Amino acid sequence: MTPRRRRGLSRALQYAVLAAVATALAVVADWGRIADSFFRFDIAAAMFPDVWTAFANTIVYTLLAFAFGMVVGVLIALMRVSEFGPYRWFATAYVEIFRGLPALLVLFLVGFGVPQAFPGIQYPGGVYGQVALGLGLTSSAYIAESVRAGIQAVPKGQIEAARSLGMSPTRTMITVVLPQALRIVIPPLTNELVMLTKDSSLVFVLGVTTATMELSKFARNELTSTANATPLLLGGLLYLLLTVPLSALARRLEHRGEAR
């Protein structure tokens, strides 16, 4: 048997196994119970319009954390490539610490540890400020590494050309290197935005109210009150409404970068 025929036979066998498994699941599944557990349209309809508030909060939390992470991450990345030793040491320690700590633990630290150590401290924006700081600290460590890699990917000839024109090292970094580095790392930054969207589900540990809860907390509350899984399905669909387009955008940007 030729290799081509063996590949064809193997592919046909795999399709047959998948078809058999799908058929068996379709036969043994209790579709009525599944529909009653996950597809109660009356329960889903009752979640509106309140679910839009949770959806909007999820977007706001994600954007605030990403903005904070970008600002701090770029600064840490610049410190990582600095010729000044203490800057590099601090940036390295920062990245290792916040990449090693779970985001949930950082949120606990921001929401409960810091106020206990510094009584009377107030975060700007209340829970929104806590989320921006808690998730942003973790995100900034990953963003810093992505930006650092982008900076190091910029051809050295670009730096040498800028320096030959009389630019200072600082101006060269800001006007020549950093813009190119940020374009290089757009795909991983988009992936980080997707991760932050999902990490926003951890915000419930801060004790959010009805007005400030995000999708995951809202869906869990509805699950408890209705004793039905339909709220989880709707919450998951709304998360996918955010993450799937972002993931597609990241893949497209990666392919465009490879084409260049």
Side-chain angles (χ1 to χ4, degrees), residues 48-65:
F48 292 90
D50 294 338
V51 69
W52 291 126
T53 300
F55 184 69
N57 284 333
T58 297
I59 296 174
V60 172
Y61 291 145
T62 301
L63 294 179
L64 287 175

Side-chain angles (χ1 to χ4, degrees), residues 3-251:
R4 182 176 180 180
R5 293 190 64 184
R6 282 199 299 269
R7 288 195 299 269
L9 181 60
S10 175
R11 190 177 297 110
L13 181 61
Q14 293 176 52
Y15 280 125
V17 171
L18 288 175
V21 171
T23 302
L25 290 175
V27 170
V28 302
D30 186 345
W31 292 107
R33 186 167 184 175
I34 291 174
D36 185 63
S37 298
F38 289 96
F39 300 99
R40 287 281 301 278
F41 294 104
D42 57 325
I43 293 177
M47 294 173 63
F48 292 90
D50 294 338
V51 69
W52 291 126
T53 300
F55 184 69
N57 284 333
T58 297
I59 296 174
V60 172
Y61 291 145
T62 301
L63 294 179
L64 287 175
F66 186 74
F68 181 92
M70 273 297 298
V71 172
V72 176
V74 170
L75 291 176
I76 295 297
L78 293 175
M79 294 172 71
R80 286 271 280 166
V81 298
S82 172
E83 296 180 355
F84 187 54
Y87 285 168
R88 293 198 309 274
W89 304 333
F90 172 81
T92 300
Y94 181 97
V95 169
E96 293 301 323
I97 289 172
F98 286 106
R99 283 205 307 174
L101 291 176
L104 182 62
L105 185 62
V106 177
L107 280 172
F108 271 120
L109 177 65
V110 169
F112 304 103
V114 173
Q116 185 176 12
F118 302 95
I121 189 172
Q122 296 291 330
Y123 291 97
V127 68
Y128 294 98
Q130 290 178 325
V131 174
L133 181 59
L135 293 182
L137 286 171
T138 302
S139 177
S140 64
Y142 292 93
I143 291 175
E145 284 299 274
S146 296
V147 175
R148 179 185 64 83
I151 291 173
Q152 294 176 337
V154 175
K156 294 187 180 298
Q158 299 279 341
I159 301 174
E160 294 170 355
R163 299 289 287 126
S164 68
L165 294 175
M167 292 186 181
S168 66
T170 302
R171 185 180 177 187
T172 299
M173 178 61 69
I174 294 175
T175 62
V176 177
V177 178
L178 198 54
Q180 295 184 70
L182 291 177
R183 283 196 295 270
I184 293 172
V185 300
I186 284 178
L189 290 182
T190 307
N191 287 327
E192 180 61 27
L193 188 58
V194 173
M195 294 300 297
L196 273 176
T197 303
K198 294 184 289 185
D199 284 346
S200 66
S201 63
L202 302 174
V203 171
F204 75 94
V205 302
L206 299 176
V208 293
T209 65
T210 302
T212 58
M213 69 175 61
E214 36 65 51
L215 274 175
S216 179
K217 173 65 173 174
F218 182 83
R220 287 198 302 274
N221 287 354
E222 292 295 315
L223 170 67
T224 302
S225 63
T226 62
N228 190 273
T230 300
L232 296 182
L233 179 64
L234 180 59
L237 291 175
L238 289 176
Y239 270 115
L240 292 176
L241 186 63
L242 294 174
T243 58
V244 170
L246 287 173
S247 298
L249 176 62
R251 289 193 298 270

